[in-house]
Amino acid sequence: MGYKVVVAGATGNVGREMLNILAEREFPIDEIVALASRKSQGTECSYGDKTLKTLDLDRFDFAGWDIALFASGSEATRKYAPIAARAGCVVIDNSSLYRYDPDVPLIVPEVNPDAVMGYAKKNIIANPNCSTAQMVVALKPLHDRARIRRVVVATYQSVSGSGKEAMDELWLQTKGMYVPGQEVAPKVFPKQIAFNVIPHIDVFMEDGATREEWKMVAETKKIVDPKIKVHATCVRVPVFVGHSEAVNIEFEDPLEAEEAREILRESPGVLVVDKHEPGGYITPIECVGEYATYVSRIRTDPTVENGLSLWVVSDNLRKGAALNAVQIGELLGRRVLKKG
């Protein structure tokens, strides 16, 4: 006996990826439905070798369904997630709406799987921000060994993190640079994204940080350890898919680069590609479509006591969003629902 699964927001980048990954990982499903807004009702979505036509989220009855993967944004989630939860369907939400709610577990299955038992307070589980998810997969095994004191991270985040319109803007701006008369002014982004980098993701806050940077701080503390100090600079780069991060870590205890490399090689969800030669590292274009979080450029930082630097790369539509949500569903099934 398998699960009855709902994918809400199925026509977006993340929703389509959720359907792909559910099929790829052979998630035990008896019945599946794709939901979207009324204007997208009837849109076709692929699920393995099947084609699903989306139903209207506003009219859907969640009673009798086991798991709902939400990729519909905060506004729709605010309205429909509580409806699903009250109907007995466990919501796994990809938006930021519930991440900071103390009664909602925020989960990366390789990092804090035991937190899944807290789902019952609201029948909702939160999926972390894409940039946080890949970072904490790399941080947790090192934290268990040497206790992390402080993390300074600079992200290089792909445009797919802002959705299909952002990907279109990069493509059209790039083409417009070479075709007179087809220049495209910034619309999704505050400045030109083609051949440029923008140190601004989400809104600015009073202290000068952006909300994306604040998310990385708050979520790392909630998922890994509230004592860890985190400082982030989040940058949008002209890459379609795949987030990269330069992560600098200060530990309480000594940890040599070679030991860190061996720890990460044995850690769930991590693949180490770290050769000291040209091309001996992973770049975002190589991680697209992959499940792993890749770690390269592992080296000692001699400017601080017990310091290491890492280069961390992952497919943000997968581990940063859809894959992590499906893994939470698998975890929920093993620990709680126990079907399939």
Side-chain angles (χ1 to χ4, degrees), residues 289-321:
E290 300 294 331
Y291 288 153
T293 294
Y294 292 89
V295 181
S296 307
R297 303 295 317 281
I298 303 166
R299 61 201 190 280
T300 299
D301 175 4
T303 68
V304 295
E305 187 177 6
N306 304 329
L308 285 178
S309 289
L310 315 173
W311 176 249
V312 181
V313 179
S314 191
D315 182 330
N316 56 293
L317 297 179
R318 292 207 150 205
K319 186 54 189 170

Side-chain angles (χ1 to χ4, degrees), residues 27-309:
F27 193 91
I29 290 176
D30 275 354
E31 190 173 350
I32 187 166
V33 65
L35 304 181
S37 63
R38 188 166 300 173
K39 66 180 181 180
S40 298
Q41 184 177 352
T43 300
E44 292 187 344
C45 298
S46 295
Y47 168 65
D49 58 0
K50 298 178 182 178
T51 299
L52 306 177
K53 287 191 175 182
T54 58
L55 303 181
D56 183 2
L57 174 59
D58 191 52
R59 298 182 179 182
F60 187 73
D61 182 2
F62 288 91
W65 293 81
D66 297 305
I67 298 171
L69 304 178
F70 267 70
S72 53
S74 294
E75 186 176 340
T77 299
R78 181 177 286 108
K79 180 177 181 180
Y80 298 107
I83 293 172
R86 286 195 296 270
C89 181
V90 182
V91 172
I92 300 171
D93 176 38
N94 193 63
S95 81
S96 62
L97 184 63
Y98 291 104
R99 290 176 189 162
Y100 317 108
D101 186 329
D103 290 333
V104 174
L106 179 65
I107 295 176
V108 175
E110 298 94 333
V111 177
N112 60 336
D114 292 344
V116 74
M117 302 311 294
Y119 86 97
K121 291 180 180 178
K122 289 192 173 180
N123 230 27
I124 296 172
I125 299 171
N127 211 26
N129 188 40
C130 48
S131 50
T132 305
Q134 68 186 66
M135 184 173 74
V136 298
V137 168
L139 291 183
K140 181 57 163 60
L142 302 179
H143 181 63
D144 288 345
R145 161 62 181 80
R147 311 306 295 174
I148 294 172
R149 178 184 293 128
R150 179 173 182 254
V151 174
V152 178
V153 55
T155 71
Y156 306 78
Q157 295 179 225
S158 65
V159 295
S160 57
S162 288
K164 183 181 182 300
E165 289 184 356
M167 299 176 76
D168 291 343
E169 184 160 299
L170 172 58
W171 166 247
L172 294 172
Q173 275 186 357
T174 303
K175 187 171 69 169
M177 297 289 286
Y178 296 99
V179 183
Q182 292 191 19
E183 296 84 0
V184 175
K187 183 179 178 182
V188 177
F189 298 108
K191 296 195 177 190
Q192 176 183 308
I193 185 60
F195 302 97
N196 199 15
V197 297
I198 303 172
H200 171 198
I201 301 177
D202 211 325
V203 298
F204 277 95
M205 303 176 73
E206 288 186 5
D207 64 356
T210 64
R211 186 164 174 81
E212 184 81 358
E213 292 157 355
W214 176 85
K215 289 174 187 175
M216 293 195 74
V217 176
E219 293 174 20
T220 301
K221 288 176 175 290
K222 184 172 180 178
I223 296 168
V224 183
D225 189 333
K227 295 179 182 178
I228 296 176
K229 296 178 180 179
V230 181
H231 183 74
T233 301
C234 294
V235 183
R236 193 70 75 187
V237 297
V239 170
F240 285 108
V241 178
H243 287 358
S244 306
E245 298 170 348
V247 186
N248 182 264
I249 312 166
E250 294 180 41
F251 296 92
E252 292 182 7
D253 301 323
L255 178 61
E256 297 297 325
E258 187 53 44
E259 184 182 356
R261 196 174 287 111
E262 291 305 315
I263 289 170
L264 289 168
R265 282 196 179 112
E266 300 299 321
S267 300
V270 175
L271 273 178
V272 174
V273 179
D274 190 21
K275 298 179 181 179
H276 300 168
E277 60 186 43
Y281 42 79
I282 292 293
T283 58
I285 202 166
E286 298 162 279
C287 78
V288 176
E290 300 294 331
Y291 288 153
T293 294
Y294 292 89
V295 181
S296 307
R297 303 295 317 281
I298 303 166
R299 61 201 190 280
T300 299
D301 175 4
T303 68
V304 295
E305 187 177 6
N306 304 329
L308 285 178
S309 289

